[in-house]
Amino acid sequence: MRIVLMLIKSSALALLSTLALVGCGTEESAPRSTDTTPAADASATEVKAPAPRLAMTYDGGVAVLDAATGDVLLDEKIDGFVRLNPAGDDRHLLVAAAGGLTALDLGAWTDDHGDHGHSWTTDPRLTDFTIAAEEPGHVVPHHGRTTVFDDGTGIVTAFDPADLSADGQPELDTWTLDEAHHGVAVQDGHGNLIHTVGNAETRSGIRIITAAGNELAASDECPGVHGEAFAGDVALFGCQDGVLLVDGREITKVEAPDAYGRIGNQAGHETSPYVLGDYKVQPDAELERPTRVSVIDTRNASLRLVDLPASYSFRSLGRSSDGDALVLGTDGNLHVIDPAEAALTNSIPVTKAWREPTDWHEARPTLQVIGDLAYVTEPATKQIHVIDLAAGKVTRSIDVAQAPNELSGVVG
């Protein structure tokens, strides 16, 4: 497949006004970056300790909360379906919708000075940095670069998230693929681009290209390629029959134990060699409610399945700070898996039992891990539950005014 490469350095486009989106998400913890200069932000106030903040979408907008108190710090009314993506700097999120992705400053961050840090807060706000996109898709922060995929045009945009701080307008590098599709792309630590290959009807694999567009490696052994995750520097892409692993220029196929064994959503970890994935075996199902997850060991390209006592949704996967795999089940429990043993080790009661809706846009309990705490939404009760993962229990619940849908946040 030929690719037309266009490298464009430009300022961000105008602020997004109306918001609605069709797309799918993938969950992965972004590398923490604290190269923020508070001196350039005159409104910032130094605080004694990191101040975690949450952002939640609801039908009609997005709200930013103080994660400790539950106080609403910002309530931005937005039309349409809104999605949240970590921007890669542990301060901003990208709010995705029809027309593009706009940076949302959560207003809390810490400057790391090695043996100590300085924590700062300011008022959260929707900024004027927007990446234009017909159909905003996957956002991938990795190795100090954040990559955005436009499903409607096949345009891939990358920028340095550190440039978002203090009203920054990052320079944008863009690549235009030959065919638009529901895809994903990421820049590796060497500036090379890994991107999916497909069109409106089908997707088949991935390519690795240099910044100049020269192909380094490719694979067409990934039917229905969807989603990505990282285990350290090893990238993983999901297929309908397993996964592809990318280590530098080397691409390795890991076969699923079933002829159709789809792993479309994944959760990686910066220091763990294991990647958690979903696992579906019904190609013709309108909505499969799986009760197994996959654990992929990127060191030896092996795949194991773990049985769970309940089904789960694509918003159920997460990783703890120490690498445990987490799955929010429809039984209301947060299931903890030891990935090294591929075994269930604990089940923490969190919500009432729930059933995944057929429409993926509809709100359902959602898992988000921030630092050493897990946050779980319960739309039916308009609550966000806070779980101390070390203690293995819910420590408090935050009441919110609207039924929460997507959830994200920063350590602060």
Side-chain angles (χ1 to χ4, degrees):
M1 171 181 168
R2 182 179 60 85
I3 183 170
V4 179
L5 179 67
M6 301 192 314
L7 289 176
I8 301 174
K9 302 287 186 178
S10 66
S11 298
L13 300 177
L15 175 63
L16 183 62
S17 55
T18 44
L19 300 172
L21 172 70
V22 176
C24 298
T26 182
E27 300 174 12
E28 179 173 11
S29 299
R32 181 178 175 85
S33 173
T34 53
D35 188 21
T36 305
T37 306
D41 191 338
S43 65
T45 299
E46 187 167 8
V47 292
K48 293 181 179 179
R53 290 184 173 175
L54 299 172
M56 70 168 213
T57 66
Y58 60 90
D59 185 10
V62 59
V64 177
L65 312 177
D66 183 316
T69 65
D71 292 341
V72 178
L73 306 176
L74 176 72
D75 191 349
E76 192 78 29
K77 302 302 179 184
I78 298 171
D79 294 330
F81 184 64
V82 184
R83 307 213 66 193
L84 299 174
N85 307 273
D89 65 345
D90 202 27
R91 173 175 173 177
H92 293 80
L93 303 177
L94 293 182
V95 178
L101 303 97
T102 299
L104 172 65
D105 184 356
L106 296 188
W109 68 96
T110 295
D111 289 324
D112 188 357
H113 298 291
D115 60 346
H116 71 286
H118 292 272
S119 298
W120 303 83
T121 62
T122 189
D123 293 335
R125 66 187 183 87
L126 201 62
T127 74
D128 61 359
F129 173 70
T130 296
I131 296 173
E134 285 188 8
E135 297 179 24
H138 288 271
V139 177
V140 184
H142 180 67
H143 253 302
R145 299 290 289 175
T146 298
T147 309
V148 175
F149 200 98
D150 184 348
D151 293 351
T153 63
I155 293 176
V156 176
T157 304
F159 65 94
D160 183 345
D163 293 339
L164 284 171
S165 303
D167 291 322
Q169 294 287 332
E171 292 185 332
L172 306 180
D173 291 339
T174 69
W175 294 257
T176 300
L177 309 185
D178 275 351
E179 295 183 278
H181 60 281
H182 178 53
V184 64
V186 62
Q187 277 193 302
D188 66 15
H190 306 287
N192 301 320
L193 186 76
I194 311 170
H195 70 83
T196 53
V197 176
N199 54 42
E201 283 72 42
T202 185
R203 303 184 301 277
S204 59
I206 63 171
R207 296 178 72 227
I208 308 172
I209 61 173
T210 67
N214 299 316
E215 184 176 296
L216 298 174
S219 172
D220 60 359
E221 297 182 5
C222 192
V225 58
H226 185 274
E228 56 68 42
F230 277 88
D233 289 330
V234 178
L236 178 147
F237 295 82
C239 315
Q240 291 178 350
D241 57 358
V243 300
L244 292 181
L245 302 180
V246 181
D247 188 359
R249 301 185 184 186
E250 182 179 356
I251 302 175
T252 302
K253 178 65 179 286
V254 182
E255 298 285 350
D258 298 278
Y260 182 91
R262 183 179 188 270
I263 303 173
N265 299 279
Q266 312 85 16
H269 193 276
E270 293 178 6
T271 61
S272 170
Y274 303 100
V275 173
L276 171 68
D278 58 359
Y279 193 75
K280 295 185 176 182
V281 295
Q282 301 173 14
D284 299 322
E286 179 182 10
L287 174 65
E288 182 177 350
R289 294 183 169 89
T291 57
R292 292 184 293 175
V293 291
S294 55
V295 176
I296 300 94
D297 188 338
T298 61
R299 298 169 301 181
N300 58 18
S302 64
L303 186 157
R304 290 175 290 176
L305 300 177
V306 181
D307 290 308
L308 296 174
S311 63
Y312 56 92
S313 88
F314 74 96
R315 291 191 180 130
S316 291
L317 306 182
R319 302 295 293 273
S320 70
S321 60
D322 61 4
D324 281 343
L326 306 174
V327 183
L328 179 63
T330 56
D331 58 358
N333 293 326
L334 181 61
H335 300 289
V336 183
I337 296 170
D338 178 351
E341 300 297 328
L344 183 66
T345 61
N346 194 15
S347 295
I348 305 169
V350 181
T351 72
K352 294 180 181 178
W354 52 281
R355 182 174 174 82
E356 181 181 6
T358 303
D359 184 352
W360 73 270
H361 295 86
E362 290 185 26
R364 82 287 307 282
T366 295
L367 170 66
Q368 180 69 44
V369 180
I370 303 172
D372 295 324
L373 300 177
Y375 297 85
V376 171
T377 65
E378 189 166 8
T381 61
K382 296 182 180 178
Q383 290 180 309
I384 300 173
H385 305 293
V386 185
I387 301 97
D388 184 327
L389 293 172
K393 63 180 181 180
V394 174
T395 57
R396 58 192 176 88
S397 296
I398 301 170
D399 294 319
V400 293
Q402 302 90 4
N405 196 336
E406 292 209 348
L407 186 70
S408 191
V410 295
V411 175

